[in-house]
């Protein structure tokens, strides 16, 4: 939601993912573009493309020859020579291209399989209960601010082995990086430097006193017999923080927003706990928070469109998830949807590293919420606000509790 | 008289570790240290797990899982 950007009148030729209309409700925009384009263009951000069908989104996700991940967040500033060059990029491995990408990813994958993630579940459950206990007896409160946003921050802070009291600091970092994309380049630079300084202090502390956490794991990790350069460790640590927080906060918030408006779905989840497996995937499909981005790596023709090296490409997995060619009645949330190849965690080699962590947090957050507050509704639909940028979720979500539950 | 048995298979070149199949049925699939899935054992699907095998196929975002009939 940019003051500096003029309002969009035609998303086919001038799209902007920070425009008020997109932020408030992007689904009709994508439906319209699917009929008319289905690859939209914009001169904003120095030139950008937007495919909106499941087929085209998949095609781009699998094509690492014509598209580079050197930068995955569209902003006024393209990565320049001062940034780590491809294939490493500023935040490996999300910003890395193959074959280097595979090496870094393989190093990280063991930390994110179901088993180590399950070890974080008791902490997460206890945290959810604490947050809910703090709302005890109140008829209404903001579930995005007082519940959803705290969960992923505090879980990732624990996973990385940073002090719990720094959790608040991270929310500011993330807001800057993901949402304030229209700030002047110099101002963003300055604030990025502050993130780097925090990471450096953590690295020093962990080098001096290694412990059993993800930061020490990264500092001890080797690729081809070599420890990672410090800027690589810093990049990956910021990536885990950035990618792990706003995203899951959004998924939890959007799921509660849905449940607040669908009493039948609330009832089903409460009375058929075995439904949680498909329900989670369906909520992730319908309200997938994350849109990724690529840079065009080389001049080429993409389905009749003249893609030029350095053009941005917005990769809207949430739009792919609402494509009627890929999903039956895509705008209808069906908690028992049996066939659901959703792309909420991306497709191909950049599949979200933290998907098991995100699923665990979302499941525990919903289970604990529903156990305590089985019946609730939006206090005021007009008071709900959504984040701008490439991660979509409610940032203000006032709910009214109708039944105090247990 | 032969009667068809189903065999499930995960293409290791297509699997990206979404773990959707594993969450559908930890009996039919197993994960390696990197979270990449493969069929458990020879991939033969017991009659009681046919529904879950089909569900795993229908939910793999990478279309990495196949189900074929083998004569037995």
């Amino acid at each position: 939601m940019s003051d500096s950007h003029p309002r969009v009148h035609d998303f086919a030729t001038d799209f902007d993912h920070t425009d008020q209309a997109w932020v408030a409700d992007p689904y009709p925009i994508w439906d319209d573009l699917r009929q008319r384009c289905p690859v939209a263009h914009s001169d904003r951000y120095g030139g950008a493309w937007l495919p909106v069908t499941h087929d085209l989104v998949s095609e781009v996700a699998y094509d690492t020859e014509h598209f580079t991940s050197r930068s995955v967040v569209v902003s006024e500033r393209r990565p320049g020579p001062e940034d780590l060059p491809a294939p490493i990029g500023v935040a490996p491995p999300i910003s890395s291209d193959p074959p280097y990408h595979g090496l870094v990813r393989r190093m990280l994958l063991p930390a994110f399989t179901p088993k180590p993630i399950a070890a974080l579940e008791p902490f997460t459950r206890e945290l959810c209960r604490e947050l809910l206990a703090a709302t005890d007896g109140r008829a209404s409160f903001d579930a995005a601010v007082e519940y959803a946003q705290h969960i992923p921050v505090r879980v990732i802070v624990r996973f990385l082995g940073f002090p719990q009291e720094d959790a608040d600091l991270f929310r500011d970092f993330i807001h800057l990086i993901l949402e304030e994309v229209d700030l002047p380049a110099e101002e963003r630079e300055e604030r990025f430097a502050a993130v780097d300084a925090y990471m450096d202090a953590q690295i020093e502390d962990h080098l001096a006193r290694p412990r059993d956490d993800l930061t020490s794991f990264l500092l001890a990790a080797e690729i081809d017999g070599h420890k990672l350069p410090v800027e690589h460790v810093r990049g990956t640590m910021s990536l885990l923080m950035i990618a792990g927080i706003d995203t899951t906060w959004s998924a939890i918030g959007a799921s509660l927003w849905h449940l607040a408006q669908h009493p039948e779905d609330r009832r089903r989840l409460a009375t058929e706990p075995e439904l949680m497996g498909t329900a989670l995937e369906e909520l992730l499909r319908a309200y997938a928070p994350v849109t990724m981005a690529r840079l065009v790596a080389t001049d080429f023709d993409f389905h009749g469109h003249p893609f030029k090296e350095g053009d941005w490409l917005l990769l809207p997995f949430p739009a792919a998830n609402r494509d009627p060619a890929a999903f039956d009645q895509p705008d209808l949330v069906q908690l028992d949807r049996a066939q659901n190849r959703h792309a909420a965690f991306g497709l191909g080699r950049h599949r979200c590293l933290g998907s098991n962590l995100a699923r665990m947090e979302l499941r525990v957050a919903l289970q604990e919420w529903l156990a305590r507050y089985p019946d609730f509704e939006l206090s005021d639909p007009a008071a709900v606000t959504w984040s701008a940028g490439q991660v979509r979720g409610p940032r203000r979500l006032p709910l009214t509790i109708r039944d105090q539950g247990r | 008289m032969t009667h068809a048995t189903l065999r499930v298979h995960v293409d290791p070149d297509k699997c990206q570790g979404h773990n959707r199949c594993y969450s559908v049925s930890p009996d039919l699939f197993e994960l390696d240290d990197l979270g990449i899935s493969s069929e458990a054992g020879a991939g033969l699907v017991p009659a009681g797990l046919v529904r879950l095998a089909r569900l795993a196929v229908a939910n793999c975002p990478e279309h990495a899982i196949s189900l074929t009939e083998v004569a037995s």
Side-chain angles (χ1 to χ4, degrees), chain A residues 102-116:
Chain A
L103 292 175
V104 188
R105 188 173 167 90
R106 268 194 293 281
M107 174 199 78
L108 290 169
L109 280 168
F112 293 87
T113 57
K115 206 170 157 187

Side-chain angles (χ1 to χ4, degrees), chain A residues 130-289:
Chain A
E130 259 174 50
L131 293 168
L132 289 167
T135 64
D136 197 41
R138 291 168 60 191
S140 65
F141 59 92
D142 190 323
V145 174
E146 296 190 46
Y147 187 62
Q149 78 166 322
H150 295 287
I151 298 164
V153 188
R154 290 183 49 189
V155 172
I156 204 87
V157 160
R158 179 178 171 104
F159 202 16
L160 281 165
F162 296 170
Q164 279 287 315
E165 57 269 25
D166 292 343
D168 284 348
L169 213 62
F170 297 140
R171 282 202 299 274
D172 296 343
F173 286 166
I174 287 143
H175 184 70
L176 158 78
I177 290 164
L178 294 176
E179 296 191 32
E180 298 171 317
V181 292
D182 53 330
L183 286 179
E186 309 77 54
E187 196 176 333
R188 274 175 68 83
E189 279 304 291
E190 239 171 71
R191 291 172 63 181
F192 273 121
V195 181
D196 285 350
Y198 180 89
M199 296 296 174
D200 283 346
Q202 283 300 328
I203 288 172
E204 265 181 51
D205 191 52
H206 278 74
L207 282 173
R209 294 182 299 122
R211 50 210 106 140
D212 182 21
D213 59 30
L214 203 53
T215 300
S216 290
F217 169 88
L218 287 173
L219 290 169
E222 293 183 354
I223 291 180
D224 287 341
H226 300 283
K227 289 260 167 59
L228 308 176
V230 71
E231 58 271 29
H232 180 152
V233 171
R234 199 169 67 192
T236 300
M237 283 166 49
S238 357
L239 166 64
L240 297 176
M241 228 171 53
I242 295 158
I245 297 177
D246 228 35
T247 50
T248 311
W249 169 16
S250 297
I252 297 169
S255 299
L256 290 174
W257 176 78
H258 172 87
L259 292 173
Q261 300 169 87
H262 294 85
E264 180 53 30
D265 285 348
R266 287 200 302 271
R267 254 194 307 277
R268 286 194 73 189
L269 275 182
T271 55
E272 307 167 53
E274 70 283 359
L275 199 63
M276 189 52 98
T278 53
L280 270 192
E281 303 301 340
E282 177 65 345
L283 292 165
L284 285 165
R285 180 193 67 79
Y287 304 110

Side-chain angles (χ1 to χ4, degrees), chain A residues 315-339:
Chain A
L315 194 55
F317 292 113
N321 284 351
R322 297 285 191 119
D323 183 352
F327 299 94
D328 182 41
Q329 293 186 281
D331 293 329
L332 187 67
V333 172
Q334 300 170 274
L335 295 187
D336 55 359
R337 188 181 286 268
Q339 174 158 336

Side-chain angles (χ1 to χ4, degrees), chain B residues 8 14 41 70:
Chain B
V8 71
K14 287 187 178 172
V70 288

Side-chain angles (χ1 to χ4, degrees), chain A residues 22-41:
Chain A
W22 176 303
V23 172
D25 190 8
Y27 307 109
I29 296 173
W30 297 333
D31 284 344
D32 175 53
L33 294 178
R34 236 179 259 119
Q35 306 288 328
R36 292 164 63 202
C37 303
V39 180
H41 180 262

